[in-house]
Amino acid sequence: MRFLKKLLDFYINSSIHVALSGFALVQLTYILFDIENDNATLGFTFFGIIVSYNFVKYHALARAQKSRLTVQLKAIFIMSLFSLFAASYYFFQLQRNTQIMGFVFLIITLLYTLPVFPNKRNARNWAGFKIYIVALCWVGVTLFLPIINNHLPYSRYVFLVAMQRFLLLFVLILIFEIVDLKSDDPHLKTVPQQIGVEKTKLVGFALLFLFVVLEFLSIDLKVQFFLLKCCLAFTTLLFLIFVNESRSRYYTSFWVESIPMIWWILILVFS
């Protein structure tokens, strides 16, 4: 059991799990827009998420060099290095416009992590901005990169899906913010810090309701997709209802981050 727990911790801490969530969202984009498997975008997204998330989480520790790295951190560093080479390989297989967009998201990641100006905080610590930056980046990488790389037009349906995905990701991040309420810097001004946990849950409920209602704006409303999105919204709502500051990190880092994978699997099974 102890070995399995260490294995699970490595799986989560090395960002493989969150990368699989990104992988699932890209696959959902392929299904929604009838895109044949685009391995370049898929590989770049998966390995790019591992590199960017591990960079955000561990760069400060690596720079400090005040203590010896643990075996797990060394393994994460090696895997991140491999992922960097893999992400670079897939990056050069992308279309030129997709490469430009991918480079933009790289800049945003650097801004999110590193101070741009002397004596200034990074974008991650800009009051109230964190949740919007993260949600927008995820929508851009998992939706617009495949759209651009496959030369699809920017139809109304593309922006409808973008709005729905942004709303879902926003709610998922709200769940993270509630769990992190005790440990987050008060200067971050996260949503729960500003309006409290109960009102944050009400905001999340309203956004999930909007997520479902927006499906009626689709020109070609498919009953199966609508019902699956209702199931997705209900599952997310349950996580939102039962979340509190005392929940373990597995509640968010494993279960909540599994929601995009659950959505993808449901569509594969029932569509």
Side-chain angles (χ1 to χ4, degrees), residues 147-172:
I147 293 294
I148 294 170
N149 204 56
N150 289 275
H151 306 289
L152 297 181
Y154 292 108
S155 63
R156 190 179 79 172
Y157 186 58
V158 170
F159 290 101
L160 174 64
V161 173
M163 289 172 62
Q164 287 182 307
R165 193 163 295 184
F166 178 85
L167 291 173
L168 176 66
L169 291 165
F170 197 95
V171 176
L172 295 181

Side-chain angles (χ1 to χ4, degrees), residues 52-65:
S52 58
Y53 265 71
N54 287 345
F55 178 69
V56 168
K57 287 191 288 187
Y58 302 116
H59 88 283
L61 182 63
R63 287 173 62 192
Q65 295 181 344

Side-chain angles (χ1 to χ4, degrees), residues 223-233 263 266-267 270:
V223 176
Q224 276 185 319
F225 281 180
F226 175 72
L227 292 177
L228 287 174
K229 284 184 178 178
C230 288
C231 291
L232 174 70
W263 187 11
L266 285 174
I267 286 184
F270 293 105

Side-chain angles (χ1 to χ4, degrees), residues 24 28 258-271:
L28 282 166
S258 297
I259 289 176
M261 288 180 264
I262 294 171
W263 187 11
W264 175 43
I265 291 169
L266 285 174
I267 286 184
L268 288 178
V269 172
F270 293 105
S271 63

Side-chain angles (χ1 to χ4, degrees), residues 25 28-29 32-33 101 105 131-132 134-148 153-171 207 210-212 214-215 217-218 229 263:
L25 287 172
L28 282 166
T29 300
L32 293 174
F33 295 94
M101 182 63 71
F105 288 117
I131 191 169
Y132 300 100
V134 175
L136 285 171
C137 283
W138 271 80
V139 172
V141 170
T142 65
L143 176 64
F144 284 103
L145 284 192
I147 293 294
I148 294 170
Y154 292 108
S155 63
R156 190 179 79 172
Y157 186 58
V158 170
F159 290 101
L160 174 64
V161 173
M163 289 172 62
Q164 287 182 307
R165 193 163 295 184
F166 178 85
L167 291 173
L168 176 66
L169 291 165
F170 197 95
V171 176
L207 294 179
L210 182 58
F211 168 82
V212 173
L214 282 174
E215 190 66 15
L217 297 179
S218 176
K229 284 184 178 178
W263 187 11

Side-chain angles (χ1 to χ4, degrees), residues 15-210:
S15 303
I16 296 174
H17 190 62
V18 69
L20 285 174
S21 292
F23 179 94
L25 287 172
V26 174
Q27 289 283 12
L28 282 166
T29 300
Y30 293 164
I31 294 170
L32 293 174
F33 295 94
D34 296 319
I35 298 173
E36 292 186 5
N37 272 356
D38 173 8
N39 291 329
T41 308
L42 203 58
F44 175 72
T45 301
F46 178 77
F47 291 108
I49 288 175
I50 290 177
V51 173
S52 58
Y53 265 71
N54 287 345
F55 178 69
V56 168
K57 287 191 288 187
Y58 302 116
H59 88 283
L61 182 63
R63 287 173 62 192
Q65 295 181 344
K66 291 180 180 178
S67 59
R68 294 180 61 186
L69 298 179
T70 64
V71 173
Q72 185 180 109
L73 286 175
K74 288 179 180 178
I76 290 173
F77 174 78
I78 292 170
M79 195 190 68
S80 300
L81 192 60
F82 168 79
S83 297
L84 177 61
F85 287 123
S88 300
Y89 168 77
Y90 285 112
F91 176 81
F92 289 109
Q93 293 189 33
L94 297 171
Q95 300 292 325
R96 178 60 60 85
N97 288 341
T98 318
Q99 289 179 343
I100 293 171
M101 182 63 71
F103 185 75
V104 169
F105 288 117
L106 171 63
I107 297 300
I108 293 173
T109 301
L110 293 175
L111 288 173
Y112 184 75
T113 310
L114 304 173
V116 184
F117 305 105
N119 302 319
K120 296 291 184 181
R121 296 183 171 211
N122 54 36
R124 191 181 188 186
N125 292 306
W126 291 351
F129 276 90
K130 175 185 172 182
I131 191 169
Y132 300 100
I133 294 173
V134 175
L136 285 171
C137 283
W138 271 80
V139 172
V141 170
T142 65
L143 176 64
F144 284 103
L145 284 192
I147 293 294
I148 294 170
N149 204 56
N150 289 275
H151 306 289
L152 297 181
Y154 292 108
S155 63
R156 190 179 79 172
Y157 186 58
V158 170
F159 290 101
L160 174 64
V161 173
M163 289 172 62
Q164 287 182 307
R165 193 163 295 184
F166 178 85
L167 291 173
L168 176 66
L169 291 165
F170 197 95
V171 176
L172 295 181
I173 299 169
L174 286 179
I175 298 173
F176 273 85
E177 290 190 343
I178 291 173
V179 172
D180 295 338
L181 190 56
K182 290 181 179 178
S183 58
D184 273 342
D185 187 331
H187 293 96
L188 280 176
K189 293 187 178 179
T190 63
V191 177
Q193 286 175 343
Q194 295 186 78
I195 65 175
V197 172
E198 294 307 316
K199 288 184 179 178
T200 298
K201 290 183 178 184
L202 289 175
V203 169
F205 173 79
L207 294 179
L208 287 173
F209 179 75
L210 182 58

